[in-house]
Amino acid sequence: MRKPHPLSLADLRKKYRSTFILNGSPSKREIALTFDDAPDDHFTPLVLDTLKREGVKATFFVVGNRVEAHPEIVKRMVEEGHLLGNHSYNHANLPKISDDEFRKQVIKTDNLIRQYTGYTPSIIRPPYGNIREGQIQWLASQGKKIVNWNVDSLDWKKLTPEQVETNVLAQIQPGAIILLHSGGGKGEDLSCTVQALPRIIKQLRDDGVKLVTVTELLNMSTPTQ
Ligand SMILES: [Zn+2]
């Protein structure tokens, strides 16, 4: 028997609209800055410096094995009031791994986050934005929201700061969830993110936009310690 065709990400997004989120309500002038692949010990501290200077609270989707590698950076994120979400344990392409391995990755990273924050994260962003239907259903049963994005900075492509700024500002709309990165792997360079960030923040504020965390944007109850 032929297997049924898996639904595309766009179809899954339509089918699981309340679980699989790309943006907040367009009726409020609020936007969430999100940083994936955190933490590392080079670019993440630079991003944190800027956010602190500007008084902005952001959302970091952390990778479990990077949390283990850089606990001091995770402590700093928490101390400075940022929100943490789950980005898997080892940045696996989730549709390719077994159900068992998938659940282990989620739970292991949740436990690490709870260790530093005191809360179990209610939000998860799958690496590459990729996820399959059974995984969405399991996350929904756990009361979690999958939070992708609707504005992609493409900052991992070693662009110029101007290109990153343009990619973000050209697509911006109220309720946007902006994808940036703060963790670089070997050979990756996120200097463009670090340099573009103050300009993006200034531009958004000049436009009267409030920068909030993902849970604030989605009116979810804010996790408390
Ligand atoms: Zn990632």
Side-chain angles (χ1 to χ4, degrees), residues 36-38 61 63 87 91 125-129 179 181:
D36 282 13
D37 303 353
F61 287 97
V63 179
H87 196 47
H91 211 270
R125 174 171 290 162
Y128 320 104
L179 171 62
H181 292 78

Side-chain angles (χ1 to χ4, degrees), residues 141-190:
S141 78
Q142 304 298 302
K144 293 192 186 291
K145 299 225 183 274
I146 298 150
V147 177
N148 276 357
W149 59 87
N150 67 342
V151 173
D152 191 347
S153 67
L154 299 173
D155 60 345
W156 54 274
K157 288 188 166 183
K158 293 186 186 170
L159 304 179
T160 65
E162 291 75 19
Q163 285 171 314
V164 171
E165 189 181 350
T166 303
N167 286 346
V168 170
L169 298 177
Q171 303 176 65
I172 211 76
Q173 50 197 294
I177 297 176
I178 301 173
L179 171 62
L180 294 149
H181 292 78
S182 82
K186 268 204 175 67
E188 284 181 68
D189 186 354
L190 295 169

Side-chain angles (χ1 to χ4, degrees), residues 51-96:
L51 296 175
K52 188 175 185 181
R53 194 172 57 240
E54 302 292 339
V56 172
K57 304 286 185 255
T59 305
F60 288 86
F61 287 97
V62 299
V63 179
N65 61 12
R66 290 187 168 189
V67 171
E68 289 174 335
H70 306 292
E72 70 292 350
I73 313 290
V74 181
K75 281 182 198 151
R76 183 177 166 195
M77 288 174 180
V78 175
E79 277 165 18
E80 294 179 2
H82 302 294
L83 180 74
L84 270 56
N86 190 321
H87 196 47
S88 83
Y89 181 74
N90 66 4
H91 211 270
N93 189 9
L94 301 179
K96 306 270 186 209

